Amino acid sequence: MDNDPHKDRREAERQEARVKIRFATPEALEKEYTSNISKGGLFVNTRKTYPLRSKVKFIMVFPISDEVVELTGEVVHVQEPRPDVDPSQSGIGVQFIDLTPQKRATIENYIARIDKRGQADEPELAEFGEGEKEEPAPTPQPQKKTEFLKDAIRRAAKEMGELSPTELVELKRKIKLFYAKRANRNHYDLLGISYTASPESIRNAYHKLSLNFHPDRHHKRLPPDLRPQIEDIFGKINRAYKTLRDFDSRVEYDVSVGNWGSVPNIPELSEEAKRLYQTRNIFAKQFPEKIERADEILNEAEKALEIGDKHEAVIKLKLAHSFDPFNEKARKLLEENGVKVKPLAEIEF
Amino acid sequence: MGKIIGIDLGTTNCCVATVADGKPMVLADERGFRTMPSYLTLEGEKYIVGRPAKAQAITNPFHTVFAIKRLIGRPFESEQIAHAINTSAFRIEAAPDGGVAIRIEDRLLTPMDISSVYLSTLREIAANHLGPDIRDAIITVPAYFNDNQRKQTKEAGERAGLNVLRLVNEPTAAALAYGFGKELDKRIAIFDLGGGTFDISILEIANGVYEVIATHGDTFLGGEDFDLRIVDYLVGEFKRTNDIDLSVDKIALQRLKDAAERAKIELSTQDGSRIILNAITEDSDMDITLSKEKMENLVGDLVKKCASVCERVLGESGLTKEQLDDIILVGGMTRMPLVYNAVKDFFGKEPRKDVNPDEAIATGAALLANSLERVEEQTLLLDVTPLSLGIDSFGDIFSKLLPKNTTVPASIMQTFTTVADDQEKVTIHVRQGESRKASENSLMGSFALTGIRKAKKMVPKIEVTFRIDLDGILHVSARDADTGQEQQITIQNYIEPPKKGKEAPRRKGSQEEALEEAEVIAEADTGQAEAVASTLPTPREDTPKKTSAPMRIRVRYPDVQTFRTEYEDDISKGEGFVDTEKPFSVGTEMIIEILIGGDPNPLRIMGAVTWVTRVKPSRPDDPPQGMNIRYKFNKPEVEKVFE
């Protein structure tokens, strides 16, 4: 950092720059990872400039354990330092070229397991070195007194029943995972069950998720800022379960999402409902590609409807219907758009 | 960390428990009693609570309070309170907040005050076992308690120096006690008939999760009512044979009630009970033999009432009687063979008695406390809200936002809009109940969202969020999506004002200040008038054009000079405080009629309540009760008065 900037720039142009990023705290890494790195990129706040499209090698040093992950990125965006712009806004946007599943796993594992002892109030990216220089001498250790105080506060927090840093990381990871993998899926995927799940296994899945996410399972240990998320997640789990628990509302829901592929394992399923499920089941087995194609076309049709292209939509709906006559959604949309369709009972294949 | 205790704050008996070494344990008082009668009296300056208070009830009926749980959080003007006034020897008066207060000698105590004395006593009992640092507690409430009853109970706990971690529904707590130490995969019904309240809850227990599927109840049905039936009978018999009406003699009634309770208990094991009360009047004794059959006739309809509640809860749960694995009995009243048999007949199977009906609730509360503290304890309670929550909408329709039996915590957001052009304010009335007619459900409170950006009608988007927390207490917020203007309220201890035509007796205040009297004139009118003006999906609105009668208060000034002082101090600034024991709720708009000297024509100005103080001042320097009003008026017009 003490070098002449012009020299740096010339070097950077010639050869791959090397940047060492040391994260001050596991939270800082976690935050950066979830908001940026996991999506394949990173914005590095620096007053030094790099040419667009140049390659930069990042050495990410994890706090506490000093584990390292190396990533190579390409500069895709440059924000030159300007006197009229807040210096925190200047820097480079980097797209990683080699964020392999292994590297992801290394980072994720670290986040999941690390105990955040020794966290300090330092900026998110503590250090930013460049070139092949050695990493500058570590910042002087925090004064023993403050360290002692922090420790005392941590212990007091634990006494009061607050989450330990590890538990907190684990909880945040769970929340993040839920939002990433389940929150916006259909009720079955949200609860992590199959379409044919029996009432009992639906209930068990619900209980399992509740044991994970109900606010009482964290009680007063729950940091106030996480409570709304936890309550929101619990609300979603609840809604999904309440819909699938009741037989009638489950069938209604199945129809609404076009889930006609299987006979659910419900003892009290009516004969008619069973027949429809079975018919569709046989159909699906015989023509899986037809159903898949129907779904695709239906998607396109819905998009056409969204932008108001009714003509296009009807053509696609008819096509989807001919591929999969049991697709309730296609039938419904066709009827809504004034096209008559044969009743299910009359369909032969 | 101090131990957490579980408290069953019952109508007739209380119980406190904790968990030690992983096992629930009821904490007995120093004389070894595991329950404490919910009785209170005064001896000099000291409260006497529990067994000694109950023991002297017969000799001191006017100053012995009991069954207070049936009064908490209820409006003075209600059927139940009227009933309580007729049947209680102690004096029940209207409290300033619209609720009730009990007069003992020269003191006026609210049900909350009394509950808080019980809770302090229970805390002391626990402290004798566990050491003095008892702070955290879980208190049980009837599942069918409404928002206000819950809040008052919670506040009573806080006044007793307890940190109330949770209010838990009594049958749910009992289910925890039942399930303790068992690996269950069952559907059960908890039939809880106690001293004053009746609840039934249906739960599914599996994987350590206790999930309430449906709950129903009656907060005014319990052993007390059974006793009163027997008392009525004894009074009738005595009148027939001796031609003396004992119903006017409160001392005699107290003795009869005591005797009735004993007879009722006796008849659980015997076929007859002889009630002998010497000198029930100055010159006559009572000697009546009550057969079991007769007694069962007297209370038959009460038991039937329980059965009909059971019918309803089954319907709500979507289950059949056959799908229930066990029926668990809780509450002292389930010892009565008539009740036991009725439950058995209704569900078609032998009810189980494996929990102690007097202790299960406190034990369950303690177990819940333990599971909250210890994450490794894989126990989770999923409870529900007993009553639907919603807001008023056009045509007296109650629009439910959170239907009953919704698992808590839960929240829901709905978007509403305005009905008039340039409308800057909407008022939202929150109610709780099952009637489709808004006016038939109990009003929990109302609040206003002001500062809506002027726009054509139907354009603004007002997002109303209902959030019900784990205590079953509601939090409401409204937000103008456009301006971001937000109102957040936890509905305050609000007791519905009396219905039109009845005026609650009020204690006259003695403020000798400039504001001589703030008089509530048309309080009752508004309840009706306001129920007109809203449409769904639009909440009720306050348009300037509205013709219905708003709230009115009347303030009298002895002469122009005092008014002038007040004007210069307060009114001219556009805001002022009105001392009154009956403040309106926040956001209420009103007409303030100012009467000066002997002038019969009042000066009228508009105002809206911005905040209220409902806490009764206990010391002379405490802030007075009343409401702060933001005035809206034409200054020159008011100043004309000074000319």
Side-chain angles (χ1 to χ4, degrees):
Chain A
M1 281 204 227
D2 47 352
N3 280 9
D4 172 8
H6 296 290
K7 187 181 157 231
D8 284 338
R9 182 182 287 186
R10 283 193 307 276
E11 272 176 14
E13 272 162 11
R14 274 201 315 274
Q15 62 174 89
E16 199 173 83
R18 289 187 53 167
V19 172
K20 187 177 272 180
I21 298 180
R22 175 180 279 274
F23 292 88
T25 64
E27 277 100 349
L29 168 62
E30 190 196 0
K31 192 171 163 221
E32 191 58 40
Y33 179 73
T34 45
S35 58
N36 290 312
I37 302 172
S38 65
K39 298 185 187 99
L42 180 64
F43 186 82
V44 182
N45 176 215
T46 168
R47 295 183 63 80
K48 293 173 184 166
T49 50
Y50 297 81
L52 219 57
R53 298 286 154 210
S54 64
K55 296 253 166 66
V56 181
K57 186 158 257 168
F58 287 91
I59 300 154
M60 292 205 247
V61 186
F62 299 164
I64 302 168
S65 69
D66 284 357
E67 283 173 72
V68 164
V69 160
E70 272 192 38
L71 284 169
T72 314
E74 187 180 295
V75 178
V76 290
H77 167 72
V78 179
Q79 186 68 55
E80 298 253 0
R82 286 212 317 262
D84 58 329
V85 172
D86 178 353
S88 70
Q89 302 293 310
S90 62
I92 51 166
V94 181
Q95 175 100 50
F96 292 126
I97 305 167
D98 62 346
L99 187 59
T100 58
Q102 286 87 342
K103 287 183 183 177
R104 277 173 187 271
T106 311
I107 304 175
E108 281 173 4
N109 283 341
Y110 172 84
I111 293 173
R113 88 183 127 79
I114 194 71
D115 188 330
K116 292 182 187 174
R117 272 185 308 257
Q119 40 186 276
D121 299 322
E122 286 172 48
E124 218 176 285
L125 301 179
E127 209 170 285
F128 180 72
E130 199 201 345
E132 297 186 358
K133 285 173 298 193
E134 267 302 297
E135 154 197 358
T139 42
Q141 285 296 314
Q143 299 230 326
K144 281 209 167 137
K145 200 172 171 187
T146 53
E147 195 50 37
F148 169 78
L149 268 174
K150 274 182 187 158
D151 208 49
I153 291 166
R154 265 196 300 276
R155 263 185 287 117
K158 206 169 170 94
E159 278 281 289
M160 285 168 63
E162 278 179 15
L163 290 180
S164 75
T166 331
E167 287 170 318
L168 194 66
V169 172
E170 177 60 22
L171 179 61
K172 284 184 175 169
R173 194 184 62 88
K174 269 201 233 168
I175 291 173
K176 226 162 284 156
L177 262 173
F178 184 89
Y179 279 112
K181 298 245 156 81
R182 292 180 188 249
N184 299 315
R185 309 288 291 278
N186 74 41
H187 290 344
Y188 290 95
D189 293 346
L190 190 144
L191 294 175
I193 48 175
S194 76
Y195 293 116
T196 58
S198 68
E200 200 191 339
S201 52
I202 298 178
R203 184 199 69 188
N204 290 345
Y206 168 65
H207 285 175
K208 204 173 146 201
L209 283 170
S210 298
L211 282 166
N212 268 298
F213 287 110
H214 191 280
D216 268 359
R217 295 290 298 155
H218 311 285
H219 186 42
K220 65 183 175 186
R221 301 149 55 90
L222 193 61
D225 56 319
L226 290 183
R227 182 167 279 273
Q229 287 182 37
I230 284 284
E231 287 196 5
D232 176 58
I233 290 177
F234 182 67
K236 288 190 156 79
I237 295 167
N238 237 336
R239 258 192 301 283
Y241 176 58
K242 296 289 146 68
T243 308
L244 300 185
R245 173 171 77 182
D246 176 61
F247 171 68
D248 291 332
S249 72
R250 180 175 177 185
V251 169
E252 204 175 289
Y253 179 77
D254 282 354
V255 171
S256 78
V257 296
N259 168 30
W260 285 80
S262 39
V263 186
N265 191 4
I266 305 172
E268 59 267 44
L269 193 69
S270 80
E271 280 310 304
E272 177 62 11
K274 231 176 211 166
R275 193 189 65 77
L276 285 173
Y277 271 114
Q278 268 160 354
T279 315
R280 163 67 197 248
N281 214 5
I282 294 162
F283 180 80
K285 265 191 196 138
Q286 284 182 346
F287 312 105
E289 69 293 344
K290 276 195 180 184
I291 290 183
E292 214 177 302
R293 184 75 190 111
D295 286 342
E296 283 170 32
I297 300 169
L298 185 60
N299 264 337
E300 291 168 26
E302 280 183 80
K303 276 184 195 136
L305 275 176
E306 261 170 39
I307 57 164
D309 191 348
K310 196 176 157 185
H311 180 72
E312 175 78 10
V314 168
I315 293 174
K316 292 214 155 125
L317 285 172
K318 280 183 178 166
L319 203 59
H321 179 64
S322 73
F323 273 114
D324 178 6
F326 294 93
N327 191 313
E328 277 294 306
K329 209 170 186 177
R331 299 172 69 84
K332 208 173 119 232
L333 287 174
L334 273 173
E335 267 162 355
E336 277 174 18
N337 286 286
V339 181
K340 276 199 174 165
V341 283
K342 271 190 186 176
L344 269 179
E346 291 174 24
I347 293 171
E348 288 167 19
F349 59 92
Chain B
M1 201 187 327
K3 283 259 180 198
I4 308 181
I5 51 174
I7 295 176
D8 172 7
L9 182 63
T11 310
T12 48
N13 283 291
C14 300
C15 183
V16 54
T18 192
V19 173
D21 302 326
K23 287 209 175 81
M25 179 175 98
V26 170
L27 303 171
D29 69 11
E30 57 220 336
R31 293 168 60 201
F33 291 111
R34 294 160 73 89
T35 58
M36 180 189 93
S38 313
Y39 279 70
L40 173 142
T41 188
L42 264 180
E43 198 180 86
E45 284 297 296
K46 239 179 87 199
Y47 292 120
I48 307 292
V49 176
R51 227 157 283 274
K54 186 174 183 179
Q56 53 86 65
I58 300 174
T59 51
N60 184 21
F62 299 110
H63 297 135
T64 307
V65 186
F66 58 90
I68 209 70
K69 193 176 174 182
R70 281 151 75 98
L71 311 179
I72 199 165
R74 286 188 195 277
F76 182 78
E77 290 289 330
S78 63
E79 210 183 301
Q80 290 89 346
I81 298 297
H83 175 83
I85 291 172
N86 284 335
T87 55
S88 308
F90 53 86
R91 215 165 122 201
I92 302 174
E93 298 182 9
D97 65 355
V100 300
I102 286 92
R103 185 168 291 285
I104 313 179
E105 294 167 15
D106 59 340
R107 288 197 205 190
L108 204 56
L109 299 170
T110 63
M112 195 204 290
D113 297 332
I114 295 163
S115 300
S116 116
V117 175
Y118 295 156
L119 290 166
S120 309
T121 313
L122 294 163
R123 183 187 171 190
E124 278 161 32
I125 292 174
N128 286 341
H129 293 263
L130 308 169
D133 58 340
I134 302 288
R135 267 197 64 75
D136 293 346
I138 290 185
I139 302 176
T140 66
V141 289
Y144 221 55
F145 249 21
N146 68 23
D147 194 75
N148 198 32
Q149 290 167 315
R150 282 167 200 267
K151 273 185 207 136
Q152 300 231 351
T153 306
K154 196 168 183 182
E155 202 176 325
E158 273 147 22
R159 285 197 193 173
L162 291 167
N163 175 28
V164 183
L165 292 180
R166 177 67 48 83
L167 296 177
V168 62
N169 294 331
E170 284 158 8
T172 322
L176 276 174
Y178 164 74
F180 172 71
K182 304 189 183 91
E183 287 238 340
L184 295 177
D185 188 344
K186 276 185 174 175
R187 285 174 178 143
I188 62 166
I190 304 275
F191 183 99
D192 175 9
L193 185 60
T197 58
F198 170 59
D199 281 322
I200 175 140
S201 291
I202 292 181
L203 290 100
E204 181 161 4
I205 309 173
N207 311 310
V209 178
Y210 292 69
E211 186 197 349
V212 179
I213 297 176
T215 193
H216 215 294
D218 187 332
T219 50
F220 218 84
L221 175 58
E224 284 285 309
D225 301 289
F226 286 67
D227 297 349
L228 292 173
R229 285 294 165 81
I230 300 172
V231 170
D232 283 350
Y233 169 74
L234 295 177
V235 169
E237 280 297 288
F238 197 72
K239 187 160 189 200
R240 201 169 53 81
T241 51
N242 298 45
D243 199 26
I244 298 171
D245 185 6
L246 292 174
S247 68
V248 292
D249 180 350
K250 297 263 173 155
I251 295 195
L253 279 180
Q254 189 67 38
R255 289 183 66 191
L256 285 175
K257 196 178 161 298
D258 189 63
E261 189 187 343
R262 275 186 281 116
K264 176 185 76 181
I265 293 168
E266 239 174 74
L267 289 170
S268 288
T269 48
Q270 298 170 17
D271 289 335
S273 170
R274 193 165 163 204
I275 296 150
I276 304 172
L277 293 170
N278 290 326
I280 188 75
T281 65
E282 268 175 36
D283 48 8
S284 53
D285 303 335
M286 176 181 279
D287 183 354
I288 297 174
T289 301
L290 180 63
S291 71
K292 188 174 183 172
E293 200 186 343
K294 180 73 212 167
M295 192 267 293
E296 293 187 345
N297 271 336
L298 293 173
V299 299
D301 66 310
L302 296 175
V303 177
K304 279 204 188 95
K305 217 165 154 184
C306 294
S308 79
V309 173
C310 291
E311 193 78 63
R312 286 171 75 173
V313 79
L314 257 184
E316 285 166 13
S317 73
L319 297 174
T320 61
K321 293 171 189 175
E322 294 72 36
Q323 285 173 301
L324 293 173
D325 298 304
D326 284 328
I327 319 297
I328 320 295
L329 298 179
V330 188
M333 279 308 296
T334 58
R335 290 202 178 89
M336 185 187 252
L338 180 68
V339 174
Y340 180 90
N341 289 330
V343 176
K344 184 176 142 190
D345 291 347
F346 180 83
F347 289 102
K349 54 174 68 85
E350 263 331 300
R352 299 184 62 133
K353 296 171 166 172
D354 35 3
V355 298
N356 181 322
D358 301 320
E359 297 173 357
I361 292 170
T363 307
L367 285 164
L368 175 64
N370 188 51
S371 83
L372 290 182
E373 279 307 293
R374 299 159 62 90
V375 188
E376 63 274 21
E377 206 68 47
Q378 290 276 319
T379 303
L380 176 64
L381 237 176
L382 300 175
D383 215 330
V384 299
T385 164
L387 295 157
S388 299
L389 296 157
I391 63 180
D392 289 14
S393 46
F394 184 68
D396 198 20
I397 304 272
F398 181 54
S399 62
K400 286 181 190 174
L401 270 76
L402 290 168
K404 73 170 295 189
N405 294 328
T406 298
T407 305
V408 295
S411 63
I412 187 164
M413 196 262 281
Q414 261 185 34
T415 308
F416 295 86
T417 187
T418 52
V419 291
D421 291 346
D422 294 338
Q423 190 179 329
E424 290 177 45
K425 179 184 171 189
V426 289
T427 307
I428 289 149
H429 295 245
V430 182
R431 290 183 195 265
Q432 186 168 41
E434 304 314 315
S435 172
R436 291 167 71 179
K437 275 186 156 180
S439 58
E440 286 176 3
N441 293 317
S442 66
L443 182 64
M444 296 161 66
S446 30
F447 68 103
L449 180 70
T450 52
I452 296 166
R453 190 177 56 99
K454 283 191 178 184
K456 288 267 177 222
K457 64 181 176 189
M458 311 297 275
V459 172
K461 288 195 173 72
I462 296 141
E463 298 169 351
V464 178
T465 305
F466 271 38
R467 178 176 160 266
I468 186 150
D469 68 17
L470 288 156
D471 294 323
I473 290 174
L474 179 70
H475 309 263
V476 183
S477 64
R479 182 175 167 274
D480 178 356
D482 191 46
T483 61
Q485 181 81 13
E486 193 162 350
Q487 288 280 325
Q488 268 194 359
I489 56 156
T490 295
I491 292 173
Q492 288 306 310
N493 291 339
Y494 178 90
I495 297 177
E496 194 166 12
K499 292 273 184 288
K500 191 175 183 172
K502 290 180 194 167
E503 207 202 328
R506 285 186 298 121
R507 284 196 311 143
K508 290 279 177 207
S510 55
Q511 285 118 5
E512 294 296 331
E513 283 141 11
L515 295 180
E516 260 193 16
E517 196 186 351
E519 198 176 326
V520 179
I521 298 170
E523 187 174 39
D525 286 2
T526 41
Q528 303 241 298
E530 287 208 345
V532 184
S534 72
T535 59
L536 232 192
T538 312
R540 101 173 37 275
E541 85 299 347
D542 295 63
T543 59
K545 291 166 240 155
K546 206 172 86 180
T547 50
S548 56
M551 299 288 206
R552 282 193 299 162
I553 65 162
R554 182 172 286 183
V555 187
R556 250 181 256 274
Y557 293 88
D559 51 54
V560 177
Q561 197 46 47
T562 37
F563 175 61
R564 183 171 197 147
T565 318
E566 179 62 22
Y567 178 78
E568 275 160 12
D569 283 349
D570 256 331
I571 302 174
S572 64
K573 298 182 196 97
E575 217 163 314
F577 191 83
V578 175
D579 295 29
T580 167
E581 288 173 11
K582 284 195 142 193
F584 301 142
S585 48
V586 173
T588 311
E589 281 193 320
M590 69 189 92
I591 294 169
I592 300 140
E593 296 187 322
I594 296 167
L595 286 165
I596 300 162
D599 192 348
N601 298 320
L603 172 70
R604 290 195 173 88
I605 64 176
M606 300 289 294
V609 182
T610 49
W611 48 269
V612 298
T613 318
R614 293 185 199 273
V615 182
K616 206 162 41 162
S618 53
R619 285 193 312 255
D621 52 347
D622 279 352
Q625 271 176 283
M627 53 190 166
N628 195 64
I629 298 171
R630 186 176 297 135
Y631 301 115
K632 209 165 94 185
F633 61 100
N634 182 347
K635 276 194 184 191
E637 199 189 309
V638 174
E639 279 164 3
K640 250 196 267 172
V641 175
F642 305 134
E643 286 162 23

